Amino acid sequence: MTKRLVINGRFLTQRVTGVQRVGIEFCLALDEMLSSGALPPEIEVEVLVPKSAHLVTPIAPRALRLRRAGWFSGHLWEQIALPLVAGRSELLNLGNTAPFLSLLASPHRTSVMVHDLSYRYFPAAYGRTFRWFYNLAIPLILWRARAIFTVSESERSAILREFPRYRRLNRIVAVQNGTMAVPSIARAPREHRARNCLYVGSLTKRKNAAGLLHAAIELARSHDAHFTFVGANGPNFEGVDVAIPEDVTDRIRFLGQVDDVEMLATEYERAAVFVFPSFYEASPLPPTEAMSHGCPVVVSDIPSLRERCGDAAIYCDPSTIDSIVKATVKLLDSPETWREYQARGFARAGDFSWETQVRRVLATALPGLLEYSGPPS
């Protein structure tokens, strides 16, 4: 018997941040699995997008169907058109939100990926309308959706702390994000990386933009390092009062948002150390992407990054500039330590795949058609 799954493709119309990257990579992995016969032939998948919307990230699937349907765009399309077009199909929402109509009328056919609750942890980073909508949507999702996926055990625990009434329910499932698969031939050796440091992510307060900038200045000034920032300035960056001194302006560069995968890979390949001292993360992609490119990483000592990076990272106190700098210098100044953590990083990155995430999600969203028994060997 055919089982039809509809994916809410609204994320394809949005600017690409971590949430959208997960949706894109999930669909690409799912398409490859369907094309190769790795999934049962009874599964049919359709990605729905607004009829009139511009696709920021167009994809060309082979086995899953990309269909434009329904008027409106944005929240109106998701709330009004999507549930009507999806009909009685299983509906998978990968971008934090879902149609209220589906949650109320067809909760047994509605699954949602809630990446994090940052709107509650950092309310000043979001507008009033955004917070109002999420304060309605997330409790409704937790109450009504058949399955709620989040991207780490750390975030699952955080959600249950914020909403303790759902602790007895078994509907919140942690499914770690995958990471880039990089051919070994593409991994640049240490001597080609010089003393280059790299950060990939938004420049916001919750990402510790000010602390990272101060650390970059110190590394450039006192440790002969160069530092590259890849990522857009978030709404709070204007409030971060950090000026780049003239004596290090030639060592610190800002590339802005980079959506080109090959360009981003080049930055990972030329970096000797990836520095990521964020105050808060759920299941970040950049640290394991750096590992997969042979770039050892320094990350903040917080539960989600411990879960994501294991013993393959050097940890720092994100609130202390000296701790960030010392952790980075350990990798810059010691070839032996660098090679040790490069090897650990390769092994750790290999623990994550988008295929594993797809299997875990589908086993929950389509019970009876697919069983999840751990990562494929």
Side-chain angles (χ1 to χ4, degrees):
M1 181 179 176
T2 299
K3 194 74 168 180
R4 183 170 178 262
L5 174 69
V6 166
I7 295 178
N8 175 356
R10 185 181 165 214
F11 61 86
L12 294 173
T13 69
Q14 299 170 322
R15 184 176 69 87
V16 179
T17 63
V19 171
Q20 290 74 29
R21 274 285 312 281
V22 172
I24 293 163
E25 297 290 351
F26 184 98
C27 287
L28 292 175
L30 174 55
D31 185 56
E32 175 62 30
M33 294 166 72
L34 289 167
S35 301
S36 65
L39 294 174
E42 296 88 355
I43 300 175
E44 291 184 359
V45 184
E46 187 172 62
V47 181
L48 291 180
V49 296
K51 183 180 292 186
S52 58
H54 167 68
L55 296 190
V56 176
T57 308
I59 60 174
R62 292 177 294 168
L64 58 81
R65 182 186 179 198
L66 180 65
R67 181 160 71 99
R68 290 180 174 273
W71 299 106
F72 309 115
S73 61
H75 283 299
L76 278 178
W77 176 83
E78 183 178 72
Q79 293 301 320
I80 299 173
L82 175 61
L84 298 177
V85 176
R88 299 182 61 82
S89 300
E90 303 288 336
L91 178 61
L92 175 60
N93 304 271
L94 297 171
N96 286 323
T97 59
F100 291 1
L101 181 60
S102 298
L103 290 166
L104 293 171
S106 308
H108 56 289
R109 293 194 297 269
T110 306
S111 300
V112 188
M113 184 175 286
V114 177
H115 295 253
D116 60 59
L117 300 181
S118 58
Y119 76 98
R120 289 174 71 94
Y121 312 144
F122 304 93
Y126 300 93
R128 182 178 299 177
T129 301
F130 185 99
R131 295 197 309 271
W132 174 83
F133 178 79
Y134 269 68
N135 278 321
L136 287 177
I138 298 302
L140 182 61
I141 288 167
L142 295 176
W143 175 42
R144 298 290 290 178
R146 183 177 68 189
I148 301 101
F149 303 102
T150 192
V151 290
S152 66
E153 289 293 345
S154 301
E155 193 60 31
R156 180 180 184 275
S157 297
I159 291 172
L160 293 176
R161 283 196 302 271
E162 289 290 317
F163 296 95
R165 64 181 294 184
Y166 299 108
R167 284 178 181 171
R168 294 184 180 181
L169 300 181
N170 197 31
R171 294 184 289 111
I172 304 177
V173 180
V175 287
Q176 275 281 350
N177 293 325
T179 198
M180 285 183 179
V182 181
S184 59
I185 193 173
R187 297 165 181 163
R190 186 176 191 269
E191 56 268 25
H192 292 178
R193 299 172 185 257
R195 295 176 71 80
N196 297 318
C197 300
L198 175 67
Y199 167 80
V200 176
S202 59
L203 292 167
T204 59
K205 287 183 178 179
R206 75 181 180 97
K207 296 279 189 175
N208 196 15
L212 185 57
L213 286 164
H214 281 299
I217 292 167
E218 178 63 23
L219 287 162
R221 179 175 282 163
S222 304
H223 298 279
D224 193 31
H226 290 252
F227 213 110
T228 297
F229 290 84
V230 174
N233 295 352
N236 288 329
F237 184 58
E238 291 76 9
V240 178
D241 186 17
V242 180
I244 306 300
E246 289 187 7
D247 63 312
V248 296
T249 53
D250 62 330
R251 293 170 179 258
I252 299 176
R253 64 180 185 143
F254 297 85
L255 297 187
Q257 181 74 19
V258 174
D259 294 326
D260 184 278
V261 174
E262 292 185 3
M263 183 177 175
L264 185 57
T266 298
E267 294 303 323
Y268 283 127
E269 292 289 328
R270 70 185 297 275
V273 184
F274 181 79
V275 190
F276 199 77
S278 180
F279 289 130
Y280 167 75
E281 298 292 334
S283 176
L285 304 180
T288 52
E289 290 181 345
M291 291 177 188
S292 69
H293 285 86
C295 180
V297 305
V298 169
V299 299
S300 49
D301 193 356
I302 58 177
S304 62
L305 282 168
R306 283 278 180 183
E307 181 180 344
R308 184 76 172 164
C309 298
D311 68 351
I314 290 182
Y315 292 91
C316 67
D317 177 356
S319 63
T320 306
I321 308 304
D322 187 57
S323 177
I324 300 170
V325 171
K326 284 182 176 178
T328 305
V329 170
K330 284 181 183 179
L331 292 168
L332 288 175
D333 287 355
S334 172
E336 294 78 14
T337 303
W338 192 93
R339 284 191 288 269
E340 175 188 350
Y341 278 88
Q342 184 191 54
R344 291 187 185 190
F346 283 145
R348 186 65 179 177
D351 290 341
F352 302 106
S353 77
W354 296 108
E355 179 183 343
T356 299
Q357 188 187 64
V358 169
R359 286 187 177 276
R360 185 86 189 272
V361 168
L362 293 190
T364 306
L366 301 175
L369 272 184
L370 188 67
E371 300 298 326
Y372 176 77
S373 57
S377 59

